Amino acid sequence: EAQLVESGGGFVKPGGSLRLSCAASGFTFRRAWMSWVRQAPGKGLEWVGRIRSQSAGGTTDYAAPVKGRISISRDDSKNTLYLQMNSLKSEDTGVYYCAHYGDAEYFQDWGQGTLVRVSS
Amino acid sequence: QSALTQPPSASGSPGQSVTISCTGTSSDVGGYNFVSWYQHHPGKAPKLMIFKVSQRPSGVSNRFSGSKSGNTASLTVSGLQADDEADYYCLSYAGSNNPVVFGGGTKLTVL
């Protein structure tokens, strides 16, 4: 059974940086396309970005609101996904989920999320 | 990147059926058969309920079904149960430049 466990959330001041991690198990991580999705307080789910498997080029795509401020990476030797967030804004506050793509454009597995709070 | 349109709320009594709509455009819902639905109980991990418009993952009850007509996808929950009370989100692929678009979410209440 797939398991995704996020960590690294916390309080940060506007303009600060944070790196989130997602430890994966129960599936072949190196073959997986992975994504980050967030949910602001009282709001819906919002896609943040994704990273392809190394065999698919290991390239990334980002949502417009975060492009230029975030970077998604992976360490297949550690079965771990990362989200580096810079120049954080108050509107980046929310729960951040990592998600594992299925064989098409859908998210087969999700973590329980880690909370990021950006406030002065 | 515009969110897909879902009704903010839906409700039904135990045993009844309820349908949640997800309206997009020909650039997302109408253009691809890559609509998926997720159940989200607050504080828990979202759960995949339907993928590729109408396919159900192993382990998901057959009380959940999906369909699509034109630019609108739908999730139907039949035989409502108390545990179905949750937020439901649709998602559609919208092309290589905008691969993931979520709906705004629908809060399903079981009366």
Side-chain angles (χ1 to χ4, degrees):
Chain A
E1 182 180 345
Q3 188 171 16
L4 299 169
V5 179
E6 301 93 337
S7 61
F11 286 93
V12 61
K13 292 184 177 181
S17 298
L18 206 60
R19 189 176 85 153
L20 307 182
S21 300
C22 171
S25 60
F27 62 97
T28 307
F29 182 77
R30 70 178 186 278
R31 294 180 185 167
W33 292 33
M34 300 294 296
S35 198
W36 287 96
V37 176
R38 68 183 181 183
Q39 183 176 34
K43 303 293 186 181
L45 299 174
E46 178 187 25
W47 179 70
V48 173
R50 70 177 179 184
I51 186 167
R52 296 170 179 79
S53 61
Q54 290 297 344
S55 62
T59 51
T60 52
D61 299 305
Y62 301 111
V66 297
K67 205 168 188 177
R69 299 190 297 118
I70 73 159
S71 175
I72 296 175
S73 60
R74 62 193 299 159
D75 186 337
D76 291 345
S77 69
K78 296 181 178 180
N79 287 354
T80 301
L81 176 73
Y82 300 101
L83 174 63
Q84 176 68 44
M85 300 187 292
N86 302 319
S87 303
L88 282 162
K89 307 175 182 180
S90 57
E91 51 262 43
D92 294 318
T93 292
V95 177
Y96 285 71
Y97 300 94
C98 70
H100 165 215
Y101 274 88
D103 64 353
E105 301 291 342
Y106 62 92
F107 299 125
Q108 179 173 308
D109 305 294
W110 297 70
Q112 294 219 336
T114 187
L115 177 61
V116 172
R117 286 182 176 164
V118 184
S119 174
S120 54
Chain B
Q1 181 181 355
S2 299
L4 306 175
T5 300
Q6 296 182 235
S9 63
S11 63
S13 299
Q16 289 186 332
S17 294
V18 64
T19 297
I20 298 170
S21 62
C22 170
T23 302
T25 69
S26 58
S27 296
D28 38 61
V29 174
Y32 307 93
N33 286 323
F34 290 133
V35 176
S36 50
W37 290 89
Y38 304 86
Q39 178 189 65
H40 190 202
H41 288 105
K44 293 193 173 182
K47 178 183 178 182
L48 175 68
M49 306 303 285
I50 295 288
F51 65 99
K52 293 182 185 178
V53 176
S54 60
Q55 296 189 38
R56 210 170 30 248
S58 173
V60 171
S61 170
N62 59 9
R63 297 185 299 105
F64 292 85
S65 62
S67 63
K68 189 184 84 166
S69 177
N71 297 335
T72 298
S74 299
L75 172 73
T76 298
V77 186
S78 58
L80 275 173
Q81 299 178 359
D83 191 51
D84 297 334
E85 186 162 296
D87 297 320
Y88 289 84
Y89 294 90
C90 61
L91 178 160
S92 177
Y93 178 70
S96 58
N97 291 330
N98 190 25
V100 179
V101 180
F102 277 104
T106 298
K107 182 176 180 59
L108 175 61
T109 300
V110 180
L111 303 170

